[in-house]
Amino acid sequence: MTRRQSEPGDDAIIGVALRRSLMVAAAAAAVVVVVLAVRHRPPSDAVIAKRIEAPRELESASTVLPAIPFTDITGEAGIGFTHHTGAAGEKLLPETMGSGAAFLDVDNDGDQDLLLVNSSDWPWSGRSGPEPTMALYLNDGKGGFTDVTRRWGLAVPLFGMGVAVGDVEGDGDEDVFITAVGSNRLFVNDGGRFSDATAAAGVAGDEDAWSSCAGFFDADGDGDLDLIVGNYVVWSRELDFEVGFTLNGTDRAYGPPSSFAGTVPWLYRNDGAGRFEEVGEAAGIRVANPATDEPMAKTLGCGITDLDGDGRLDVLLANDTVRNFLFRNLGNGRFEEIGAAAGVGFDAAGSATGAMGVDVADFRNDGRLGFAIGNFANEMTSLYVAQGDPWVFADEAVIEGVGSPSRLRLSFGMLFLDADLDGRLDLLAANGHIEDAISEVQASQTHRQPAQLFWNAAIDGGATFVPLPDAAVGDLARPMVGRGAAYADIDGDGDLDVVMTANGGGPMLLRNDQDLGQHWLRVAIKGAGGNPRGIGAWIEVEAGGRRQRRQVMPTRSYLSQVELPVTFGLGGDDAPVMVRVVWPDGVVEEVGPVEVDRVVEVHRATE
């Protein structure tokens, strides 16, 4: 196989000069196998089928792994959705990339409803009959769902990709933004039905664009929710046919992103009434290739957090085959791109990766944030961890136990979640290849792949993360063409359940059936003004001599959104706990002592 190609003229050379610490680089070199994903080989190269063996997995110092079984309840729960790719034999790239999901409380009854994004037929397909649409399911509070898509006004055909959830008008109702191939859509929640507010809000984007991830956050510190939208590549049917990609030298296959030009993300500033202005260029989030001065972004994942505790939300964009971007929020709606200098632009060898979904969390409970990014097959998942300085990161995937087990997977959805409620965040990866015939040319690859749950063992001298065996995670290990992933407590029992979407198939709604006797606390916050759900707030809990902090941020994973209430696992500690909320504007409130094993609502005090 040939060496994987980066975007022509990109700044990979700069990335080599910015390799991480010698320790990380040496660890990575010990396990690196020089292999290339078929996806990124130029079309003219010969195909050589070769089995690629994964390097030896790191071993944990622990011999006792927990059982955290997940049970597929999709049908039982009333979910009858099937993702439609629009495929009609032409092998057009967007057909294999979708789609996302969101847990959200659309009817304000306190439980988490479910939205599944869908794609439509291509306009040239000539197909007749009802068009596929997204699906909205209301939760009965016990994990049973009812399809209310049409009644709530969301039976709207579009070639959907991702979803963002936020209250754009500050009226207390959660609104929905859908990214797409073509015009994007904003649906405003009118308290029982959604209405299409795209045109009035000014967020449709370009008709010929391909948007991917999106997220609502307060970019300029004025108290309302702005919107960032990632765009993937410059794409059209005609361009796709010009690529002419093939796996076996004969049959057409899905082309690599390196064959398409880059794009720019969009940043929409909210005027406080749900009307938006695109300010990406003025805000400093448009990045050009330094060699060509052409747009560079090929974004699939959005990670939003406050990295340095200054009260301003920073943004990481995970880019496919070009370096990742890290936008440092300078205040007043201005950003500075520092991804390469901060150490998150490239992998430990100085190469750009096929980056997909992203999540960020304080997974060690030590105050240092880490980004997990799912990458293409034969590339390890990236685990960029702050090195004391919040703007200096190193890729610790290998030394933390994630690298080796993830190498042979093609990972899309990435989530930090405390699956066993022991007080430590575990890592979930939703996996699946883009090619249904990949096993014919790469014996190590399959189209359907099992998800992976990396248990956070937090052991000194050993791997922090240990992949749990299939027998320990139940239906979570059932192979699927995994894409988006999201979590919520759908049945009110305190632990986090998961939905994973499948490209061209049905999702898996997975009930968490762990029974380890751990205690928990769920915190929901309620404020006022333009961000009443408190997106961007930090919640801290002190229990058992350990301080946990989590950020209220629905934008996570791949094209998906998680619930807004924050779950804290408390392990065996059943003593009442103190809860501390740091609101987005810096106001701090403390509540407690609070009894455990319950949901607590923290309402912001009147100023």
Side-chain angles (χ1 to χ4, degrees):
M1 291 186 181
T2 58
R3 183 163 178 80
R4 176 177 175 274
Q5 301 296 309
S6 298
E7 180 75 355
D10 71 12
D11 49 359
I13 295 175
I14 299 174
V16 174
L18 294 168
R19 291 177 184 172
R20 304 291 65 83
S21 66
L22 291 176
M23 175 184 70
V24 175
V31 299
V32 167
V33 177
V34 182
V35 296
L36 293 209
V38 169
R39 176 190 189 193
H40 304 294
R41 184 179 53 253
S44 60
D45 291 345
V47 176
I48 302 174
K50 178 180 178 182
R51 181 170 182 79
I52 301 172
E53 299 293 344
R56 179 183 63 84
E57 295 183 4
L58 291 178
E59 296 178 357
S60 168
S62 173
T63 57
V64 179
L65 300 178
I68 312 177
F70 285 81
T71 303
D72 183 354
I73 61 167
T74 312
E76 171 188 339
I79 306 297
F81 177 85
T82 299
H83 176 250
H84 180 76
T85 67
E90 293 185 329
K91 290 280 186 174
L92 302 176
L93 185 56
E95 297 165 359
T96 194
M97 299 302 293
S99 60
F103 282 114
L104 71 166
D105 185 4
V106 297
D107 52 0
N108 283 322
D109 64 354
D111 53 50
Q112 298 302 308
D113 310 305
L114 177 61
L115 178 68
L116 296 165
V117 180
N118 209 354
S119 300
S120 59
D121 289 318
W122 294 116
W124 53 81
S125 68
R127 289 176 175 164
S128 59
E131 284 267 40
T133 72
M134 72 187 91
L136 176 65
Y137 292 90
L138 289 190
N139 190 344
D140 65 5
K142 301 177 182 178
F145 291 84
T146 302
D147 187 339
V148 295
T149 312
R150 187 167 298 280
R151 173 158 58 91
W152 275 72
L154 291 181
V156 179
L158 73 165
F159 206 100
M161 284 284 152
V163 54
V165 175
D167 184 353
V168 302
E169 300 170 308
D171 62 358
D173 294 322
E174 292 189 278
D175 308 307
V176 172
F177 179 79
I178 305 293
T179 64
V181 178
S183 298
N184 301 319
R185 301 289 186 89
L186 174 65
F187 297 95
V188 171
N189 187 341
D190 296 324
R193 183 175 174 84
F194 285 97
S195 60
D196 190 335
T198 309
V203 292
D206 298 334
E207 291 184 358
D208 59 352
W210 176 356
S211 297
S212 52
C213 65
F216 286 104
F217 74 114
D218 186 0
D220 52 8
D222 65 354
D224 54 40
L225 292 177
D226 309 300
L227 173 66
I228 191 164
V229 180
N231 291 303
Y232 190 30
V233 295
V234 175
W235 179 89
S236 69
R237 184 189 187 201
E238 293 72 25
L239 288 172
D240 209 317
F241 277 113
E242 287 179 13
V243 171
F245 190 72
T246 180
L247 287 176
N248 56 17
T250 303
D251 300 317
R252 181 168 162 78
Y254 292 111
S258 54
S259 298
F260 299 89
T263 61
V264 295
W266 298 324
L267 180 64
Y268 292 96
R269 183 176 60 201
N270 191 341
D271 70 356
R275 292 180 297 271
F276 294 81
E277 177 187 5
E278 205 287 305
V279 296
E281 184 171 6
I285 69 164
R286 295 189 176 181
V287 181
N289 185 316
T292 65
D293 202 34
E294 294 296 322
M296 188 177 175
K298 298 184 179 182
T299 301
L300 288 175
C302 301
I304 305 172
T305 190
D306 178 4
L307 285 171
D308 57 1
D310 65 356
R312 299 191 289 258
L313 290 169
D314 313 294
V315 179
L316 183 142
L317 296 185
N319 289 316
D320 190 0
T321 71
V322 298
R323 65 179 173 88
N324 303 316
F325 301 155
L326 179 60
F327 293 103
R328 181 175 185 170
N329 193 329
L330 303 177
N332 297 319
R334 290 281 301 166
F335 293 82
E336 175 188 17
E337 202 288 301
I338 59 169
V344 300
F346 305 94
D347 67 11
S351 298
T353 62
M356 311 293 180
V358 58
D359 199 3
V360 56
D362 180 6
F363 67 89
R364 290 173 173 160
N365 293 325
D366 63 358
R368 293 189 292 166
L369 294 174
F371 289 100
I373 300 178
N375 291 318
F376 204 76
N378 305 320
E379 297 173 338
M380 295 180 294
T381 290
S382 301
L383 186 61
Y384 299 110
V385 184
Q387 302 296 296
D389 184 328
W391 299 107
V392 177
F393 290 80
D395 188 349
E396 299 187 4
V398 172
I399 61 176
E400 291 289 12
V402 173
S404 172
S406 65
R407 181 180 291 281
L408 290 184
R409 304 297 186 211
L410 200 170
S411 298
F412 280 86
M414 302 294 296
L415 288 173
F416 285 110
L417 74 163
D418 189 353
D420 59 346
L421 301 177
D422 64 355
R424 302 187 297 268
L425 290 173
D426 312 301
L427 180 62
L428 172 68
N431 305 318
H433 212 281
I434 66 167
E435 282 287 353
D436 55 6
I438 189 63
S439 61
E440 297 176 12
V441 294
Q442 276 196 352
S444 65
Q445 292 296 311
T446 58
H447 191 210
R448 296 176 179 271
Q449 299 180 1
Q452 293 169 293
L453 182 60
F454 294 88
W455 178 60
N456 189 339
I459 298 168
D460 292 336
T464 296
F465 289 104
V466 183
L468 293 181
D470 292 355
V473 298
D475 292 333
L476 186 72
R478 184 183 300 169
M480 67 184 302
V481 188
R483 293 295 184 262
Y487 61 70
D489 179 9
I490 63 172
D491 49 9
D493 64 355
D495 55 30
L496 290 173
D497 312 295
V498 171
V499 68
M500 294 189 297
T501 66
N503 184 258
M508 276 205 292
L509 181 64
L510 296 154
R511 185 182 62 214
N512 187 338
D513 286 335
Q514 64 83 27
D515 188 22
L516 299 169
Q518 314 276 37
H519 297 284
W520 51 274
L521 184 71
R522 285 171 52 78
V523 182
I525 63 174
K526 304 286 185 180
N531 181 16
R533 305 281 180 143
I535 289 177
W538 287 95
I539 304 177
E540 301 173 359
V541 164
E542 297 270 0
R546 175 194 299 151
R547 183 179 76 124
Q548 300 180 53
R549 64 173 186 144
R550 309 282 184 258
Q551 191 160 38
V552 180
M553 182 54 63
T555 302
R556 300 180 186 274
S557 186
Y558 176 74
L559 309 180
S560 297
Q561 305 273 290
V562 303
E563 65 173 358
L564 285 174
V566 175
T567 295
F568 293 91
L570 304 175
D573 194 339
D574 62 356
V577 300
M578 294 298 299
V579 177
R580 184 172 185 262
V581 177
V582 183
W583 292 91
D585 61 359
V587 172
V588 178
E589 290 188 86
E590 292 193 353
V591 177
V594 176
E595 297 292 331
V596 303
D597 299 334
R598 66 190 60 207
V599 179
V600 58
E601 282 194 356
V602 178
H603 292 260
R604 178 159 177 166
T606 303
E607 296 182 3

